[in-house]
Amino acid sequence: MNNRFLNLVKFFFLETFKNKSEVFYTMFFPVIFLLLFGFIFGLGDTQHQEENFEYGLVFSSGYLSDTNQSSESAYDTVKAFFDPNKLDIYADNESLKNAVLSSKVDAGIIVDETSKVKVLYNSDPANMQKITWIKFAGENAIKRFLYGAKKDYLSLSSENIGTGRVESNQMDFLLTGIIAISILSGGMFSVINTFGRYKKLGVIKKFMVTPIKSNEFVIASSFNKILLNFFSIVIIIILGKVIYHMNYSFDWPMLIIVCLSSTLGMMAFGILLMVLFKELEVAQSAASILMTVMMFFAGIYFPINIIPGYIRWVSYILPIKYVADLLRHVAGVESMNITTFWLINIIMAASGIILLSLTSRQLMKDQARN
Amino acid sequence: MKIKSLLSIFLKEDFRNFIVIFWTFVFPLIFFLFFTSLFGNIGNGSENSSDMEFRAGIYFEKPPTGLAKEISQGLVTGLGDKNSGGPFENIYVSSFDEGIQLIKDKKLEIFIVFPENLDMLNLKVVLSSVPAPVVKSYYRSDSGSDFARKIFKSVLDSVNVEFYKRISSAEYTLEVQELNKKASDTFSYKDYLFPSVLLMSILTVSIFNTPLSLAYSIEKGITKKIFTTPIRSGHFLTVVILENLILLGISILLIYIEGKLMGVSPKAFSAKYIAYLFMNVITLISVGLLMLSVFRKLSAVNVAANILYQLMMFLGGLFFDVSHTPMIIRWFVYINPVSYMAQGLRNIINGMPLGFLNYFVPLVWIGACIIIFSLNFKKVMNYE
């Protein structure tokens, strides 16, 4: 490595860290997403933890007298059937309806003297994501109580077959997905913002009159982005450990390889957008659309299996799914065939290097023409 | 006249700016179309339709007989076989190890193992003291596998209830009532998403465009130049607000046209809905001005706008249910005016009344923001 190249790296390093906005967007913006989506999807949300619903129940006096039960004994018995969900007893139908409407409970159940069981749900569309699970759990629990189904005819034992080095849960999957999004957005946006800015400020043109080669320029400026992106990932991992007590056991050398290959791949994608769309603003917008599509097709926030079949293929052609898989492997959350691991890394890195070299030359040519 | 000329210049500039056109007009339209195609089936009863695809591995340690055979087959069928339009593709495997390997290789979402003693079920129906056979399900931590596990658990629970129902002398009828909804109404994801897209568009203009264009004009000295003309700061602010209201009006109109073409509920076109939407516009424009009172430097406004935009959008219940989030972030859901606005707009579409908070919280925000901005007005416009 010659002095010129080192000086160039140093220049870009200082330039990057002087630009507070860039540091914020690359290093801290993903942290906001981590906190936001971590809490929305990971903790306290019933989408991923089916056993924390809250039900309200009213037994009509007619039902209690018909079945010769005191209200206390009936209530004590029924609670066990709802376990581990929570059950609150209400004095009358009206107060239960109000509780359902004000979302104090997820569903209300009224057992009347005519053997009719009324199940009340709030039709607020905000509940749609979890309503299926609320229905299943509530209806089965009250039916079991009414029919006296204390024991199962068929029992169920579920086992999470950990495919990784550590015992993982859904939160670990979610957070590795968020890290994948950070790598991709960091890689793609950093080059678009940087090269777009340099292009606008005429920095590229100025460099072109110096003996610096286009490859040196691109590698030196990209190196800083990779470094910044890696810092961002380290911050996310530390926060994930501290806040969400993630069970990760990172293979750090492998993580560096994954970060390097994935960031390279996405940086090339970013430069490709710059070459295709010429204008910084247009490239940024195209990248934003691409990120939105990737976020929702990655199977991170909800299963790919529920995406309609005719567009599910999109998930398989976007890199985010594969980067998330690589990360889960190096985090020990799940295992991956070692050949597949290296193959994905090589494809990402090779396509990154080839695209970076081709598109950066094209970018320089475009600048020379203007 | 002064205002009209300045407004015309600003609008021309906006219409020449790709970013403004894209994020204000085009993106909400793409977003609405994209998400409606992606999640259009959610909540309309077709969650178990062929749109979903899960693969369940089935393994019998010993072929069952009699009632046990019928029940186990019913259980597998209850998952909803893909061939008959259900969400599961049931794959019978020849050994336990094969099933485990398939689930580890992500070729299955769930692996169900019926035990060797499944035939005990034949005995258990007549002798309750006989231990229940244990069906084992194996799954991974990913969301698809977990989803499949939950479905299987629910189906098995229903089978157990069915046993008791058949031997019980009591007969219970279950009636499901959805509150706040007419019997004829069916859930429509388009109606759920429509207010979200409208509010997202309002947020874009009020949280980004308005404060950023003001901060830009102030920091780059444009206002200083303008104030050397007879145009005063009040005029300038009026022009910026009018400019953004016009942009927003066009954006909302385009979303409405798309909504009409996509068959959004006619209630979204009612006077009440539009009036409430206007109140939302005023509230969020006020929030944008408040932000400018707090952060005056362009880069700071940019960063603050990005953070606030994400927080207000994702913690406003526009796309996900946020009512069950931990208290560490739920407090923001409670103070976020977008939560009440989204709920209010959805209430109108669902034919439900607007509650006190749907008016009160946005009004408090309008009042507080205008007072704070008025007190800081001179500072904001760089008068001091």
Side-chain angles (χ1 to χ4, degrees), chain A residues 125-198:
Chain A
N127 287 333
M128 280 305 152
Q129 289 160 327
K130 58 183 181 179
I131 202 82
T132 311
W133 308 118
I134 296 174
K135 278 183 183 176
F136 274 138
E139 288 176 13
N140 277 334
I142 194 66
K143 279 182 193 167
R144 288 178 81 105
F145 165 74
L146 292 168
Y147 291 116
K150 284 182 184 163
K151 287 180 181 171
D152 287 334
Y153 274 81
L154 262 177
S155 295
L156 176 67
S157 143
S158 296
E159 193 180 318
N160 182 345
I161 54 152
T163 58
R165 298 189 304 278
V166 294
E167 202 177 305
S168 62
N169 55 34
Q170 274 230 291
M171 192 63 190
D172 299 317
F173 262 76
L174 175 75
L175 291 180
T176 36
I178 294 173
I179 297 174
I181 290 174
S182 304
I183 292 181
L184 298 184
S185 71
M188 188 164 64
F189 283 106
S190 63
V191 286
I192 291 178
N193 292 336
T194 312
F195 283 97
R197 191 157 43 87
Y198 290 165

